[in-house]
Amino acid sequence: MNIIKAIILGIIEGITEFLPISSTGHLYLADEFIKLKESTAFINMFMVVIQLGAILAVVILYFHKLNPFSPKKNRVERGQTWQLWFKVIVAILPSVIIGFPLNDWMDEHLTSWQVIATTLIVYGILFIIIERRNAHRPSRLNDLNTLPYLTALEIGLFQVLSLVPGTSRSGATILGAILVGTSRYVGTEFSFFLAIPTMFGASLLKIWKYFSHGNVFTGEQTVVLLVGTFVSFIVAYFAIRFLLNYIKKNDFQAFGWYRIILGVVVIAYFGLRTIL
């Protein structure tokens, strides 16, 4: 049963990691109905580490674009690839400086259905408002290679907001990118690339903390973790391709409405459960 549950959670993670609807919020809600029969420490670590599968999907899909050593690239293209990585490094600095020290405190004090419901609704409304405001405004940055370092840093600052559960890392960075003038496509791609060091770092930190407290993986736990990670990789691969095709002709308002509806459902479910 744990393996079946890991598959379901991997599917949820793969779908929600890069869509701006909050993977953490969805996994938290899923845990209400699909509880792994494991320790709380393992479950908390599992929920973060399976994101590595989703991140690997980005690496595979964009391997050529992200590889500065590709023999198929000329000198200019290799230089642009290095520049892209330097911009990603600049963008993750706010999360390293602000995010990591606050990560445990945020997990302990803000992981609740009230916070998740609020952030789902608030960012859903913001997506709708910003998309409607920008409906007839041309974007300032339509080429990832022309993204300034300062703009990359500004997007990185928005990523810090995703420390609050239910916000969505991709949602915060894409929304931030649009606000500072990028096109949806450029903002979405940069959000994908920004996820690579961010989530690798977060996952390694969770694993280190898990083992530093004297925990070890049993054989079943290892299988459960590998299955969840592999499934999230497969599902995220197709979710990324879907999102990139979707935003070529559509904006993010549909995701905004989805977030609002889900937030209301969360309030109704947990509110009734509290009363009853």
Side-chain angles (χ1 to χ4, degrees):
M1 287 303 297
N2 262 359
I3 292 175
I4 294 173
K5 291 175 182 178
I7 291 172
I8 297 172
L9 292 171
I11 292 172
I12 294 171
E13 164 59 27
I15 292 173
T16 59
E17 178 59 40
F18 296 108
L19 302 184
I21 53 178
S22 178
S23 61
T24 302
H26 280 77
L27 289 173
Y28 174 82
L29 298 175
D31 186 56
E32 279 290 309
F33 309 98
I34 311 169
K35 289 186 178 292
L36 290 171
K37 293 183 179 180
E38 297 289 349
S39 66
T40 301
F42 177 82
I43 293 172
N44 290 339
M45 182 272 302
F46 173 89
M47 294 296 193
V48 174
V49 174
I50 60 170
Q51 296 176 16
L52 284 177
I55 302 308
L56 184 58
V58 175
V59 175
I60 298 299
L61 277 167
Y62 285 98
F63 185 77
H64 175 70
K65 188 168 187 173
L66 294 172
N67 181 13
F69 304 105
S70 174
K72 297 180 180 180
K73 291 182 177 179
N74 58 38
R75 184 177 62 83
V76 173
E77 290 171 332
R78 286 194 292 272
Q80 290 174 335
T81 305
W82 280 116
Q83 287 290 317
L84 174 59
W85 277 112
F86 292 147
K87 291 170 187 176
V88 168
I89 291 171
V90 167
I92 66 171
L93 290 178
S95 293
V96 173
I97 297 170
I98 303 171
F100 280 157
L102 292 176
N103 186 59
D104 288 343
W105 187 90
M106 291 284 191
D107 284 347
E108 183 179 349
H109 293 88
L110 296 182
T111 304
S112 66
W113 67 265
Q114 294 94 332
V115 172
I116 290 173
T118 300
T119 50
L120 282 170
I121 293 172
V122 168
Y123 282 91
I125 293 171
L126 286 175
F127 263 117
I128 294 170
I129 292 174
I130 291 170
E131 285 288 20
R132 289 183 177 178
R133 188 200 70 173
N134 291 350
H136 303 292
R137 292 185 181 182
S139 53
R140 181 169 53 88
L141 297 166
N142 298 298
D143 184 350
L144 195 59
N145 291 320
T146 64
L147 186 75
Y149 279 91
L150 179 58
T151 302
L153 179 61
E154 290 171 338
I155 296 171
L157 287 169
F158 278 96
Q159 180 171 251
V160 177
L161 298 173
S162 65
L163 284 170
V164 181
T167 298
S168 169
R169 191 207 60 81
S170 62
T173 51
I174 292 172
L175 198 63
I178 293 173
L179 282 172
V180 296
T182 77
S183 66
R184 296 185 195 95
Y185 202 90
V186 168
T188 300
E189 279 200 326
F190 192 71
S191 174
F192 290 165
F193 303 152
L194 191 53
I196 297 173
T198 301
M199 298 316 304
F200 265 108
S203 298
L204 291 175
L205 181 63
K206 281 289 185 182
I207 292 173
W208 176 79
K209 287 182 177 179
Y210 183 78
F211 286 118
S212 68
H213 285 84
N215 299 302
V216 294
F217 289 156
T218 64
E220 181 180 344
Q221 286 176 335
T222 301
V223 172
V224 166
L225 188 58
L226 290 175
V227 167
T229 303
F230 177 74
V231 171
S232 73
F233 161 69
I234 297 297
V235 177
Y237 181 89
F238 292 102
I240 292 169
R241 297 186 67 173
F242 160 77
L243 183 60
L244 290 174
N245 287 325
Y246 177 85
I247 60 175
K248 288 178 181 178
K249 298 180 180 179
N250 303 278
D251 60 26
F252 286 103
Q253 288 193 63
F255 295 110
W257 285 112
Y258 172 82
R259 292 179 64 106
I260 293 170
I261 293 169
L262 181 61
V264 172
V265 170
V266 169
I267 292 172
Y269 171 77
F270 285 96
L272 286 173
R273 197 185 68 171
T274 303
I275 295 172
L276 299 176

